[in-house]
Amino acid sequence: MELKSLVKISEYEWEIPRKGSMRVPGRIFASKKLIEEMDEKVREQVTNVACLPGIVRASIAMPDAHWGYGFPIGGVAAFDPDDDGIISVGGVGYDISCGVRSLRTGLKREEVEPVLEELIDALFHTIPAGVGSEGKIKLSISQLDEVLVGGARWAVANGYGEPEDLEYIEEKGCLPGADPKCVSIEAKKRQHRQVGTLGSGNHYLEVQYVAEIYHREAAEAFGLEVGDVVISIHCGSRALGHQIATDYLKVLAKASKKYGIPIKEKELVCAPIRSPEGEQYYRAMACGVNCALANRQVITHLVREVFAEIIPEARITVIYDVSHNTCKVEKHKVNGRVKELYVHRKGATRAWGPGRPELPARYRHVGQPVIIGGSMGTASYILVGTEEGEEKAFGSACHGAGRTMSRHQALKRWRADQIVAELRKKGIIVRAKSKRGLVEEAPEAYKDVIEVVEVAHRAGLAHKVAKLLPMGCIKG
């Protein structure tokens, strides 16, 4: 992206000035280096989103932003339903509620290392992964409807977890407003054997250890110390979320024309929040969120079963579970007034600061944990949300490293055995269902997560708490 098209606000904040049909300016949080690495398409998409009805304050891009469908991945936009605000599939994405859950194990690195290979193999054989992967849970349509309404609460009620898990999941494990009647039979058929599975692409389960602590107070609240072993699970709503997005792109395309909504490209099809079509999409999207929360809850149960066999003294507890492909109804201060807004975060993580009553009591004095996954073989981070971030970006931060190279380019450049060998030299054990999937997710295909996290920290979106380094990983 060319710097000359932007106005520099600070070292880590840049503005696309309002012009033409833009209702608000664009705002990009990035260093000069990250700006120069971004595709020009990011600037174009941020600008197009800024033209949508009812958008509040700014069209925002995070440090890991890259080209996406309609909105950039790493895009954030809030819409006011009282000002003809819209809801958009492109602002949520296909993998609804793709997110990360991090778990404490109650173990130190030196306790796990002697059995690491056995542990990774057991996790790999227990947790289904890969394209079209299916789990042991087979649900009827009516049972799946219960999942879509209940989310992680359904999983716990059916023996897949512990009641205290729910306190440490956003929305306490269940997003209100879900209506399975708004989800197609095709979407449900595709999902009935996929609860409790990782899927493919950039989804993973990783065994990590805490390498550094930056924020002592927050680390203590989150129960983290140097040397602690942590498990991170990155996955979403699988086939159901993808089918919901596919179905509602058609619905919202008709709605855009019906309501005369000016859109800059067809990928931004949308509907007024308070229209029948907008309300239907929100209810279906909420089902997708609940499906993803249930999915990560069942995987947590499977992790507990594996640890019970190999390291019985482990005590698996949830640090936090937060999504990065959602539209949430949230209260934010706008021009001195608290307003209820529909906040779209696509490839962006909710990052609320301290004091929010929705946060777990244990974390409320420091803020919400923000989990940032790195690329395969690199560091991941736990951050904490800030009040400044709520003012600047509706309480949002980055979600990962962000791609710099297409999957097709990665396939031309690396071999699976080469990647596995290089990671093994670093002491990292990798198991993958697909050689192709492994190569597509080569570490060098992504931005430098250290730079991305540093920008989020210095821009005030979220503050660094802990650095996690990988010990082993399973992928689709």
Side-chain angles (χ1 to χ4, degrees):
M1 186 186 300
E2 294 185 358
L3 289 168
K4 65 181 182 182
S5 65
L6 306 174
V7 174
K8 184 177 179 180
I9 305 299
S10 71
E11 289 296 318
Y12 305 103
E13 196 171 341
W14 308 75
E15 184 172 284
I16 302 171
R18 183 179 173 184
K19 62 180 180 181
S21 55
M22 291 174 69
R23 299 167 188 261
V24 294
R27 190 62 54 95
I28 302 175
F29 293 95
S31 61
K32 180 174 179 288
K33 176 176 180 288
L34 290 175
I35 287 285
E36 291 174 337
E37 290 174 353
M38 283 181 188
D39 193 292
E40 187 63 28
K41 189 73 174 175
V42 173
R43 184 196 61 76
E44 181 184 323
Q45 291 190 320
V46 170
T47 299
N48 289 342
V49 171
C51 300
L52 293 172
I55 189 168
V56 176
R57 198 181 297 159
S59 170
I60 300 166
M62 292 291 129
D64 53 339
H66 53 290
W67 175 84
Y69 188 95
F71 282 52
I73 297 168
V76 176
F79 295 88
D80 185 351
D82 294 328
D83 189 26
D84 299 323
I86 59 89
I87 188 167
S88 170
V89 173
V92 174
Y94 277 89
D95 192 4
I96 297 169
S97 194
C98 181
V100 186
R101 173 181 294 209
S102 288
L103 311 170
R104 304 176 200 87
T105 64
L107 300 168
K108 291 293 186 182
R109 181 184 178 190
E110 56 270 20
E111 295 176 273
V112 173
E113 282 180 327
V115 294
L116 180 60
E117 190 138 11
E118 181 186 1
L119 179 65
I120 296 299
D121 284 338
L123 289 167
F124 184 62
H125 288 113
T126 301
I127 298 167
V131 176
S133 54
E134 295 185 342
K136 294 179 180 178
I137 302 173
K138 184 176 180 179
L139 301 171
S140 67
I141 296 298
S142 62
Q143 288 171 322
L144 184 59
D145 284 351
E146 293 176 12
V147 175
L148 304 187
V149 172
R153 296 180 193 174
W154 170 89
V156 170
N158 282 273
Y160 302 107
E162 301 169 3
E164 54 265 36
D165 294 345
L166 300 174
E167 177 67 17
Y168 298 98
I169 305 172
E170 61 177 330
E171 311 297 340
K172 300 292 188 289
C174 175
L175 182 63
D179 184 353
K181 293 193 294 293
C182 297
V183 178
S184 69
I185 291 295
E186 177 64 22
K188 294 174 185 179
K189 285 180 178 178
R190 292 183 65 187
Q191 186 65 27
H192 80 118
R193 285 288 298 270
Q194 291 195 345
V195 175
T197 64
L198 271 180
S200 58
N202 63 349
H203 296 160
Y204 61 81
L205 181 148
E206 194 164 84
V207 179
Q208 307 158 324
Y209 70 93
V210 178
E212 292 184 60
I213 296 290
Y214 306 102
H215 190 311
R216 177 59 55 187
E217 183 184 11
E220 287 177 359
F222 298 165
L224 297 172
E225 295 180 358
V226 170
D228 285 354
V229 172
V230 171
I231 308 291
S232 288
I233 302 161
H234 177 215
C235 62
S237 51
R238 303 285 278 114
L240 181 124
H242 194 282
Q243 191 63 48
I244 289 171
T246 301
D247 292 340
Y248 277 90
L249 280 172
K250 299 170 188 174
V251 173
L252 299 193
K254 293 178 182 178
S256 296
K257 293 177 182 177
K258 174 182 175 181
Y259 297 104
I261 300 172
I263 55 175
K264 294 294 182 179
E265 58 174 321
K266 64 180 181 179
E267 295 177 355
L268 285 176
V269 294
C270 54
I273 291 166
R274 288 185 172 152
S275 68
E277 297 90 342
E279 290 174 356
Q280 287 165 15
Y281 172 62
Y282 181 84
R283 291 176 189 141
M285 187 272 312
C287 287
V289 171
N290 289 336
C291 179
L293 297 178
N295 195 29
R296 292 194 287 273
Q297 182 63 38
V298 173
I299 292 173
T300 299
H301 173 76
L302 297 175
V303 168
R304 284 177 169 137
E305 289 189 331
V306 170
F307 271 83
E309 285 289 323
I310 296 173
I311 316 177
E313 58 270 30
R315 173 75 175 102
I316 308 295
T317 56
V318 180
I319 300 171
Y320 205 62
D321 182 313
V322 64
S323 306
H324 46 241
N325 279 359
T326 60
C327 175
K328 295 284 190 70
V329 183
E330 299 174 359
K331 292 180 179 178
H332 290 276
K333 191 173 286 187
V334 180
N335 298 325
R337 293 174 54 209
V338 175
K339 300 216 69 177
E340 199 169 76
L341 305 176
Y342 282 65
V343 183
H344 294 64
R345 297 185 181 93
K346 178 183 180 179
T349 309
R350 194 187 74 182
W352 283 351
R356 282 269 191 172
E358 301 94 334
L359 296 180
R362 176 176 173 177
Y363 301 159
R364 206 167 293 150
H365 66 291
V366 293
Q368 178 210 304
V370 180
I371 306 166
I372 310 297
S375 56
M376 185 169 51
T378 66
S380 295
Y381 290 84
I382 294 179
L383 286 70
V384 66
T386 65
E387 291 180 349
E388 185 179 0
E390 292 194 28
E391 294 170 4
K392 287 184 172 183
F394 301 102
S396 309
C398 48
H399 84 303
R403 294 194 78 94
T404 58
M405 185 184 296
S406 72
R407 288 178 168 86
H408 181 69
Q409 289 172 314
L411 288 168
K412 286 184 174 182
R413 190 162 174 181
W414 292 287
R415 300 189 322 272
D417 58 347
Q418 173 190 1
I419 293 169
V420 171
E422 288 175 358
L423 292 173
R424 172 70 81 160
K425 286 178 185 176
K426 298 177 182 178
I428 304 167
I429 299 168
V430 177
R431 298 286 184 267
K433 292 287 184 183
S434 161
K435 289 184 178 180
R436 179 189 178 95
L438 190 67
V439 175
E440 288 176 344
E441 297 303 312
E444 292 83 359
Y446 283 82
K447 297 176 185 179
D448 180 2
V449 71
I450 297 174
E451 174 100 3
V452 169
V453 167
E454 195 63 28
V455 169
H457 176 79
R458 293 185 178 276
L461 302 178
H463 290 154
K464 293 189 296 181
V465 176
K467 178 180 182 179
L468 311 177
L469 289 179
M471 300 172 70
C473 178
I474 69 169
K475 293 185 66 64

